[in-house]
Amino acid sequence: QVQLVEFGGGLVQAGGSLRLSCAASGLTFSTYAMGWFRQAPGKEREFVAAISWNGGTTYYADSVKGRFTMSRDNVKNTVYLQMNSLKPEDTAVYYCAADRGLVGRYAASYDYWGQGTQVTVSS
């Protein structure tokens, strides 16, 4: 079955960096668009970043643009989210997701989800 497993979350001070990874299995990874979403306590899940199947197109939420970079390695079946200049408001559970369709910002279009990894940014 399809599995998406996120790694790399943790506790970091404001201004610091973290790199999240998401390893995929059970699907033809190179044909899927991938996305990162996050959910903070008491808030709805929100879009963070997305990347097309070949990495040629990326989208970012305005709140992370210029600080976060999403990339993928279709040989390793892995996507990454490099997070720099982290802020306390970036604290959330981060989820990766796979979409067999076109790359997009809407959670409802994604077919598979990981279990999430906690990112906590202290002030």
Side-chain angles (χ1 to χ4, degrees), residues 13-99:
Q13 287 190 331
S17 297
L18 280 176
R19 188 195 197 203
L20 304 184
S21 302
C22 171
S25 60
L27 74 171
T28 307
F29 180 76
S30 61
T31 66
Y32 279 74
M34 299 295 293
W36 285 99
F37 293 78
R38 68 186 182 187
Q39 187 166 19
K43 295 189 177 181
E44 293 187 353
R45 189 171 297 190
E46 66 172 0
F47 169 76
V48 175
I51 192 166
S52 60
W53 64 274
N54 64 353
T57 300
T58 51
Y59 295 119
Y60 297 95
D62 289 343
S63 58
V64 307
K65 204 172 293 183
R67 299 188 298 121
F68 291 11
T69 302
M70 185 173 185
S71 60
R72 67 187 297 158
D73 184 331
N74 285 349
V75 174
K76 295 182 178 179
N77 287 3
T78 301
V79 291
Y80 306 96
L81 185 68
Q82 178 66 44
M83 305 186 295
N84 298 329
S85 302
L86 283 160
K87 304 175 181 180
E89 51 263 44
D90 294 318
T91 295
V93 177
Y94 283 71
Y95 299 88
C96 76
D99 184 350

Side-chain angles (χ1 to χ4, degrees), residues 105-119:
R105 303 169 180 264
Y106 300 103
S109 70
Y110 284 78
D111 302 290
Y112 304 105
W113 291 82
Q115 82 289 348
T117 186
Q118 177 70 46
V119 171

